[in-house]
Structure formats: C-alpha cells, structure tokens
Amino acid sequence: MITNKKPRSSDTDSIYMRDDRTEMSEDDDRSPSPNSITHDSSPTRTYTTGSGPGTGPGSSSVPEYLAPCPDQVLENVLENVLWFLTSRKDRNAASLVCRSWYRVEALTRSDLFIGNCYAVSPKRATSRFTRIRSVTLKGRPRFADFNLMPPNWGAHLAPWVSAMALTYPWLEKVHLKRMSVTDDDLALLAESFSGFKELVLVCCDGFGTSGLAIVASRCRQLKVLDLIESEVSDDDVDWISYFPDTGTCLESLIFDCVECPIDFDALERLVANSPSLKKLRLNRHVSMGQLHRLMVQAPRLTHLGTGSFSPSEDVAQGEQGPDYVSAFAGCKSIVCLSGFREIIPDYLPAINPVCANLTSLNLSYANVSAEHLKPIISNCHKLQIFWVLDSICDEGLQAVAATCKELRELRVFPFEAREDIEGPVSEVGLQAVSEGCRKLQSILYFCQRMTNAAVVAMSKNCPDLVVFRLCIMGRHRPDHVTGEPMDEGFGAIVMNCKKLTRLAVSGLLTDRAFAYIGKYGKIVRTLSVAFAGDSDMGLKYVLEGCPRLQKLEIRDSPFGDAALLSGLHHYYNMRFLWMSACNLSNQGCQQIAQALPRLVVEVIKHEDNLDMDENVDTLYMYRSLEGPRDDVPRFVSIL
C-alpha cells in the first residue's frame, strides 16, 4: 500500500505554459517589455506633385502609402490577441493552426511549463520560446516520493539552468518539482538573472544551505523563496543571515522542511526588514516563544507555519510565558495556518482568535485527538482546505462535517502507516464528511477499513468531486461489513462524479471495478492503482476506455504483457506510464519500444538485482521529442 505521512504540496505537451499568467517584469530598463512587441511602421515612399518629375518649383513631397504584407497585419493583430490567452490548453491549440500562429504564439509566451524534463531538450525549448520570464519544470515521477525509485535516477537541473542562463537574461521565476538541484545550479541561477524574484523548490534534493546562502545574498529583488518537502543538507552555513541587512522585497519565505537549526536573531532581523512579507512557514527549530516574537514583528502575515508549537525552554518553571492568544489576536489577516510540529495540544487554543477567518488549516504534523480538535474546528466556518492526521478519529471528522460547510479539500493522513492495526478512521468519518461537506471537490483518505455504502454515499452527496483518492491500507481488503469487493463503491464514484479527473483506487477490486472506470471515467487524467486487479482485462478496460488519461501509475498489481500491449494506441497521448512489481517481462517491454519508437521505455532494476533477467522490476515510459536521455544510470536500461 502506498502511504506517505508527509503531505505533498499533482503535462508535458508539445507547448508549455502554466495555467495562470504570471506578473510581467516592471524593470523595463533591463529589457523591452514582452507585452510590447515591436510593430514595424507601414512602408512608404515619397513622390512629388506638379508638372515635372519632382524637381520643379511647384512640386511638393507627398508620402505614398504602400499596404503592408497581409501576413504581417495578421501577425500584428494576433500578437495583441494572444497576450490575453492564458490557458495552456488554448495556447497549445492556437500554435497548431498554422506556421504563422505557431511562431507568434511562441513570441508572446512568457511562462514555460514542462511536465517532464526529459520530454524536450533545454536547447529545443529555449530556441523556440525566447521571451520567457517564468519556468516551471518537473522531474521524477510521483512514485519516487514513496521510495519506489532508486536514488540518483536523474532529473538534473544543470543542463536546464545552463541553457536558461544563455537565453533568458530577464528570467524572474523558477518553480521546480522533484528535480536534482546542486549548489552550483543555485549559484549559476543567482548570478545569471539580475532581476530574479521567485524560487520554489518542491520535493527537490541535492542542494544545501550553501546554495541557499548564495541565493539569499545575490538575488536582491527576491520576493519568494519557498522550500516545500525538499531535502536540504546542512553545510554549517547560516543561510538566513545572508539576506540583506537593509530592507528586502520578500513576500514569501517557506523553510519548514529544512531540518538544520537556524540563527533566530538573523531570522528576526529578516522579518523586521521585510515589510511586504505575507507568507512565513518556520521549521521545527523555532519554538513558540520565538514564534511569538516574530508575530509581534509581522502582524500583517496572511499565511503562517508555526514551527514546533511547543513552549520555549528559556521560560523557567512557574514563570509567566508569552501571551500567545494576544499574538494571534494581533494577526488579524491570517487565513492559512500550518506547522504545529512537536505540538503540545494544550497550547492549541491559542489559535482561536484567527479561526473565524481561516480558509486553510494544515494539522498533518500534529498528533491531536478529537477532544483537542473540536473546540478549534467549531470556529472554522470559512474553512476550505483541511489536512489532518487520522488521530482525530471518526469523531473529529464528524465535528468537521458539522461545521465546515464550505470545505473544498480534505486530506486525512495516517499517524501510523501500518496494515496490522485497526485504524482510527473508517467509513463512519467518510460518510459524515460527505453528508456535511457537500461542496467537497478533492479528498485523500487513508484508512484500514471501508464500505461500498460509504463510498456510494460520497458519490451522491459530493457530485462535484474532481479528485478522489481512497487508500485502504492493507492488501486486497474488501468491504469490511459485507465482505464484497469494493467494485461498486469506486464504480459509483466514476458514474456520479462527472467532473472527476484524478482517481486513486485500493482495496479488494476485481476487473469489474476497472470496467466501470473504462466505461464512465471519460475525463479521468490521472489514475493510481495499488494492490488491485484480477487479470489483464482490468488494465485493458482502462486503456481502451479512458481517452483523456495522461498519467497512469500502478504498483503491486497482477497486470502483465497482454495488458501493457493493449494500450499501444494511446501511449503517445500520455505523459507517462509507471508499473512496478507487476507481471511484466523484458520481452513485452521490448515490443512496446519497437512499436512506438518515439516513446522512451525505461526498465529500472533495483540495486540488488542489476542483472538483466526476464522479469521487469519497474517500467517507466514517457513520450519525448528527443529520444533516450544521455544521463542514464547503471540500473536503468532504455529499450
């Protein structure tokens, strides 16, 4: 069963653009604004009037207008129109109209989105899109988060940052996810882009506090530095102190994943010198007493990650500690709360003053009970996003259902990700949420037992669901009341939730469940399967019935070569397929590689099984304009 206690903050098309347009640079002295494409004036020539050829005393010069080329008029108009086209999907369609539209769309693009760093080369991307100010780049597939991919697989930032340094001197924003980033990469990034403003690293690794220090010291216009679920090595460098001593432009600073201690005095100075700071998420080395001091410095915060949320060690027993309630009361703008690491639940009521305005609350690191949660959640009437551990039990979820009528997203993570225990949440909590939170659009729910009736109820009570991920921990677990497979529950989800685009299935499932998905999941784009399925027919139903499927990830399921070959017609339309611990053979994977030469077929071996044998440990397939990559590690074979 795939489990992940830590929450994660989930397409390479031939065209790359983020869904929402980012702000253009205001530093017009550094470059022409990409919003002001140069338009050539209409061509003219001068002729003279009068009786002679233009030299007599009565002659006068009059400009003669020559009509511009029709194609040039079209491109000029098109440039102005395409600036308002923000949807990646719409831009993709526009670029396919003709060569002229293809060229103009590239000229007017400011945001570059690449869903797989191996789907296109840095050279190809940077030569086509020359006016980019924001880059979003994704590397390893999602299953790498669950230790299903050996370390050092790839997804290196180095070739990308080198290409961008040469082509995009006005680059302002870089968002990376599951990429291998080195300190040298961060140094080159900081040195190459004088107006750099935003760096977001999600689930990245390979860098340390030395690289962060370079970014802090050299990127003087930096507004956003967000480190989310990334692995940061401790180089004994106090990176916080490298920010400018004078005022900064910081608007967001997130470092809750950084495990090494920080210089709190430097952090306090930084917060005081950052008048625009709105988002601050602290790591576990920041105590409640220190949090109190920061909140006094920055009452304007809208997003706060609290750090450890345990009392300061420097407060002697019997002494009066800081007034945490007053500190939260002074931060009237807070709408998003997270953190609460190493929490002492008795201190949780301190957040009561901000609960009424909260739209997002993340307690996924806080081991709190329903008894501690209920007084807090009863004040969160505006809550739209709620992440929590299953330690709140069904009783806590019932309290959420009674109060949070505006809830859009719920994630319930396991405190103990074990199969041999009877978990604290069940179908009771799921059904309560479905009955009380009718506006729910996304749910991730870990549990040890579930019923078809509860899942069917959710499909009927929450028809606007876009994401439904039910992770029943324990292999092949049926409906724990009837003993039947969970087919009807998942079938109801795909039948009744017409907006569903992401689905994760688990528990005891037969081919019937996959037949439902193939028949009704016509807009499903991402499907995750774990420990489920009867035969190859199950996967065949999905591959033949889900035309929008982009990402398919499967582990520990009985699907073999016949199932794999049934998707030949669809693989070029998908971003990737991942299959691990299934019944695949090297010969079956070779057939795919021969039939689809523009598909990269990687066979990944575990470190203790590097000899090529007939059985395939892991198959990872993805489309690419470049063919096989050139940084293949020894445990990867590209067929």
Side-chain angles (χ1 to χ4, degrees):
M1 186 65 245
I2 303 171
T3 60
N4 186 6
K5 177 182 169 184
K6 296 183 180 180
R8 298 290 183 188
S9 315
S10 102
D11 47 289
T12 306
D13 303 304
S14 58
I15 314 299
Y16 325 101
M17 180 168 180
R18 296 178 60 204
D19 287 331
D20 36 322
R21 189 89 169 260
T22 54
E23 184 183 16
M24 297 296 174
S25 172
E26 297 175 356
D27 303 317
D28 292 332
D29 58 324
R30 292 187 293 106
S31 69
S33 169
N35 279 330
S36 55
I37 304 293
T38 302
H39 301 284
D40 294 332
S41 57
S42 301
T44 61
R45 76 167 177 244
T46 301
Y47 72 96
T48 57
T49 59
S51 56
T55 56
S59 66
S60 62
S61 296
V62 179
E64 177 187 1
Y65 177 80
L66 294 182
C69 172
D71 287 345
Q72 182 63 46
V73 173
L74 173 62
E75 290 196 9
N76 291 347
V77 173
L78 189 58
E79 286 169 1
N80 288 298
V81 171
L82 288 182
W83 285 120
F84 299 97
L85 199 61
T86 58
S87 164
R88 188 164 72 239
K89 180 180 178 181
D90 291 342
R91 277 190 168 265
N92 290 349
S95 70
L96 297 176
V97 172
C98 62
R99 289 183 180 273
S100 177
W101 284 54
Y102 176 90
R103 181 172 58 253
V104 175
E105 191 282 320
L107 285 174
T108 58
R109 187 177 290 249
S110 62
D111 295 358
L112 180 63
F113 174 89
I114 300 174
N116 179 355
C117 65
Y118 289 122
V120 63
S121 69
K123 181 180 179 180
R124 183 190 292 263
T126 55
S127 62
R128 177 179 174 190
F129 302 107
T130 58
R131 300 190 176 191
I132 296 301
R133 303 231 173 180
S134 173
V135 172
T136 299
L137 186 61
K138 296 184 178 182
R140 296 180 293 270
R142 191 183 70 92
F143 270 20
D145 296 344
F146 308 106
N147 299 318
L148 295 179
M149 176 175 279
N152 304 315
W153 171 80
H156 302 291
L157 177 63
W160 285 95
V161 73
S162 297
M164 292 188 296
L166 297 174
T167 315
Y168 301 147
W170 310 296
L171 190 70
E172 297 176 350
K173 302 177 181 180
V174 171
H175 292 206
L176 306 175
K177 189 170 187 179
R178 300 189 184 96
M179 296 288 293
S180 292
V181 182
T182 67
D183 291 335
D184 289 340
D185 296 336
L186 295 180
L188 181 57
L189 185 148
E191 293 167 355
S192 303
F193 312 114
S194 58
F196 193 73
K197 296 179 180 178
E198 186 169 316
L199 178 62
V200 178
L201 304 177
V202 181
C203 302
C204 294
D205 57 22
F207 64 99
T209 52
S210 298
L212 296 179
I214 296 173
V215 172
S217 63
R218 297 183 182 176
C219 299
R220 294 293 172 148
Q221 298 185 46
L222 193 66
K223 291 183 177 182
V224 176
L225 179 57
D226 290 352
L227 311 172
I228 302 170
E229 295 295 327
S230 292
E231 296 181 14
V232 183
S233 63
D234 185 0
D235 302 329
D236 292 325
V237 175
D238 179 25
W239 63 280
I240 291 286
S241 65
Y242 280 77
F243 282 97
D245 290 330
T246 56
T248 77
C249 303
L250 270 182
E251 297 175 2
S252 176
L253 178 61
I254 296 176
F255 63 97
D256 51 354
C257 63
V258 180
E259 290 298 327
C260 53
I262 52 113
D263 182 341
F264 178 75
D265 290 336
L267 177 61
E268 191 172 26
R269 287 195 304 271
L270 175 60
V271 171
N273 292 330
S274 305
S276 300
L277 191 65
K278 300 295 183 183
K279 299 180 181 180
L280 179 63
R281 280 166 51 179
L282 310 165
N283 69 3
R284 64 184 181 87
H285 294 284
V286 178
S287 68
M288 279 193 74
Q290 293 170 330
L291 172 66
H292 179 272
R293 289 166 59 180
L294 294 175
M295 293 175 70
V296 172
Q297 291 273 12
R300 59 198 172 276
L301 290 174
T302 59
H303 295 62
L304 176 63
T306 64
S308 67
F309 218 70
S310 55
S312 305
E313 295 180 357
D314 54 356
V315 178
Q317 188 173 3
E319 287 186 11
Q320 183 70 29
D323 188 349
Y324 303 116
V325 175
S326 296
F328 277 98
C331 296
K332 301 182 184 299
S333 300
I334 290 180
V335 295
C336 177
L337 263 181
S338 61
F340 305 101
R341 297 166 186 253
E342 302 174 6
I343 187 174
I344 294 182
D346 290 342
Y347 284 83
L348 196 56
I351 72 172
N352 266 324
V354 299
C355 286
N357 290 325
L358 287 182
T359 59
S360 176
L361 178 60
N362 184 345
L363 297 177
S364 60
Y365 286 98
N367 181 18
V368 296
S369 65
E371 178 184 358
H372 293 110
L373 176 70
K374 286 194 289 185
I376 298 299
I377 209 69
S378 63
N379 296 316
C380 298
H381 296 281
K382 296 182 181 179
L383 202 62
Q384 296 184 22
I385 300 173
F386 185 44
W387 294 12
V388 70
L389 291 178
D390 61 7
S391 58
I392 66 167
C393 304
D394 288 330
E395 183 183 355
L397 292 174
Q398 289 170 331
V400 172
T403 302
C404 306
K405 302 302 180 182
E406 299 298 318
L407 197 66
R408 302 298 198 277
E409 178 182 330
L410 173 66
R411 298 193 186 189
V412 180
F413 297 94
F415 179 67
E416 288 187 275
R418 295 170 52 188
E419 301 181 11
D420 58 346
I421 62 174
E422 185 172 324
V425 298
S426 67
E427 77 281 357
V428 175
L430 186 75
Q431 183 149 351
V433 168
S434 74
E435 293 172 354
C437 307
R438 301 294 181 107
K439 297 181 181 180
L440 199 65
Q441 297 175 357
S442 175
I443 185 168
L444 169 62
Y445 197 86
F446 283 87
C447 62
Q448 272 88 3
R449 59 192 191 278
M450 184 52 59
T451 65
N452 280 301
V455 180
V456 171
M458 171 149 280
S459 75
K460 294 178 179 178
N461 293 330
C462 303
D464 291 333
L465 277 175
V466 177
V467 176
F468 183 79
R469 294 191 286 167
L470 176 60
C471 300
I472 305 173
M473 291 179 289
R475 305 186 181 204
H476 314 297
R477 290 198 172 181
D479 180 317
H480 83 97
V481 172
T482 66
E484 296 293 321
M486 292 296 299
D487 298 345
E488 299 305 318
F490 286 106
I493 290 291
V494 291
M495 277 190 274
N496 298 328
C497 302
K498 306 299 184 183
K499 302 176 183 179
L500 193 74
T501 61
R502 184 173 183 180
L503 176 65
V505 300
S506 56
L508 179 62
L509 297 177
T510 70
D511 290 340
R512 184 179 181 86
F514 295 96
Y516 284 135
I517 296 171
K519 183 175 181 179
Y520 298 104
K522 298 304 181 183
I523 64 170
V524 170
R525 292 173 57 84
T526 302
L527 176 62
S528 303
V529 181
F531 307 104
D534 262 349
S535 69
D536 288 340
M537 281 303 299
L539 184 55
K540 185 176 181 180
Y541 287 137
V542 170
L543 291 171
E544 293 181 352
C546 299
R548 303 278 186 91
L549 192 63
Q550 287 283 301
K551 294 180 279 186
L552 178 58
E553 40 193 33
I554 305 171
R555 64 165 297 185
D556 296 274
S557 296
F559 308 127
D561 292 345
L564 181 66
L565 292 168
S566 69
L568 280 172
H569 66 288
H570 188 57
Y571 291 141
Y572 275 150
N573 297 323
M574 293 175 61
R575 190 196 294 184
F576 72 80
L577 166 67
W578 170 284
M579 295 180 70
S580 60
C582 296
N583 294 331
L584 299 178
S585 71
N586 194 62
Q587 181 181 2
C589 296
Q590 189 71 54
Q591 286 182 261
I592 295 289
Q594 292 172 351
L596 303 174
R598 289 186 292 116
L599 200 70
V600 177
V601 181
E602 293 194 8
V603 173
I604 304 173
K605 290 289 184 179
H606 298 305
E607 289 285 355
D608 56 354
N609 185 26
L610 293 181
D611 294 332
M612 286 298 295
D613 54 28
E614 186 59 23
N615 296 323
V616 171
D617 294 333
T618 298
L619 170 69
Y620 179 45
M621 301 193 315
Y622 52 91
R623 63 191 183 200
S624 175
L625 298 175
E626 309 302 330
R629 56 193 175 108
D630 57 7
D631 60 349
V632 182
R634 67 189 188 96
F635 53 81
V636 172
S637 299
I638 297 183
L639 304 182

